């Protein structure tokens, strides 16, 4: 009775064109993500650092002992140290060797009067600063949070609590 002709020839090329555009967009997005550095994050150093208070010098000093793991570069461009939210000055560590915090080594954080804040140094530097009268007492009867932060990734390497 009824003779209806169905013409579906135009549907297939339109769908194919839409699929090709979608595939092109997906490939462009993947290439853009790769080119803009949205890949895996940079590796953060993994270190085991222990912090204790030391008042044997007559001043409350934070002693940090590197107990294993990756070497930490204490240069301000690599690792940021903070005590109670205040950035620790590393300017007393003048040599490249002093700026490397390796397994088995001990460094100390103290209140350095000349800079008006916290400084980090070796025990030899601390002794020289005490002799020069540049160290003042800190935190008597309190506790402080000590953090090591990787500058490149802004991730915490160590978060320590020291009680005085």
């Amino acid at each position: 009775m009824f003779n209806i002709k169905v013409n579906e020839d135009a549907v297939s090329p339109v769908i194919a064109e839409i699929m090709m555009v979608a595939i092109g967009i997906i490939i462009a997005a993947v290439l853009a993500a790769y080119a803009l550095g949205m890949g895996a994050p940079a590796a953060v150093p993994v270190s085991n650092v222990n912090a204790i208070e030391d008042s044997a010098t007559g001043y409350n000093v934070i002693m940090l002992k590197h107990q294993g793991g990756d070497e930490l570069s204490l240069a301000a461009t690599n690792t940021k140290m903070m005590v109670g939210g205040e950035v620790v000055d590393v300017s007393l560590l003048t040599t490249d060797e002093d700026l490397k915090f390796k397994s088995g080594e001990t460094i100390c954080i103290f209140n350095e009067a000349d800079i008006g804040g916290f400084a980090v140094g070796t025990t030899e530097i601390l002794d020289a600063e005490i002799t020069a009268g540049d160290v003042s007492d800190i935190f008597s009867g309190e506790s402080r949070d000590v953090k090591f932060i990787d500058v490149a990734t802004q991730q915490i390497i160590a978060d320590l609590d020291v009680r005085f």
Side-chain angles (χ1 to χ4, degrees):
M1 297 244 252
F2 295 103
N3 194 2
I4 300 176
K5 289 188 177 183
V6 179
N7 188 357
E8 294 181 7
D9 290 341
V11 174
S12 183
V14 171
I15 291 176
E17 189 67 30
I18 291 171
M19 294 293 288
M20 291 297 288
V21 169
I23 291 171
I25 290 172
I26 291 170
I27 290 172
V30 169
L31 290 175
Y34 180 75
L36 296 175
M38 293 176 61
V44 176
V46 177
S47 295
N48 184 5
V49 179
N50 186 23
I52 59 168
E53 65 86 20
D54 181 20
S55 56
T57 60
Y59 300 96
N60 289 328
V61 176
I62 301 170
M63 301 301 286
L64 301 168
K65 176 144 180 138
H66 193 302
Q67 296 181 317
D70 296 333
E71 174 183 295
L72 296 176
S73 172
L74 300 179
T77 56
N78 296 353
T79 304
K80 179 170 48 173
M81 286 186 292
M82 300 181 80
V83 175
E86 185 178 331
V87 176
V88 176
D89 185 2
V90 297
S91 64
L92 295 175
L93 301 172
T94 55
T95 67
D96 288 339
E97 194 59 35
D98 284 347
L99 287 168
K100 294 177 184 173
F101 190 29
K102 302 175 194 166
S103 182
E105 293 183 339
T106 300
I107 59 174
C108 43
I109 297 175
F110 51 91
N111 197 14
E112 217 278 345
D114 286 345
I115 64 169
F118 300 107
V120 65
T122 61
T123 52
E124 294 82 16
I125 291 173
L126 174 62
D127 290 342
E129 293 293 309
I130 290 172
T131 303
D134 289 335
V135 176
S136 58
D137 201 17
I138 54 173
F139 312 136
S140 193
E142 300 178 20
S143 69
R144 284 293 183 261
D145 182 44
V146 179
K147 291 183 182 181
F148 284 79
I149 301 171
D150 181 58
V151 173
T153 62
Q154 291 299 310
Q155 296 206 10
I156 294 176
I157 299 169
D159 189 359
L160 313 161
D161 187 43
V162 183
R163 298 189 186 282
F164 291 90

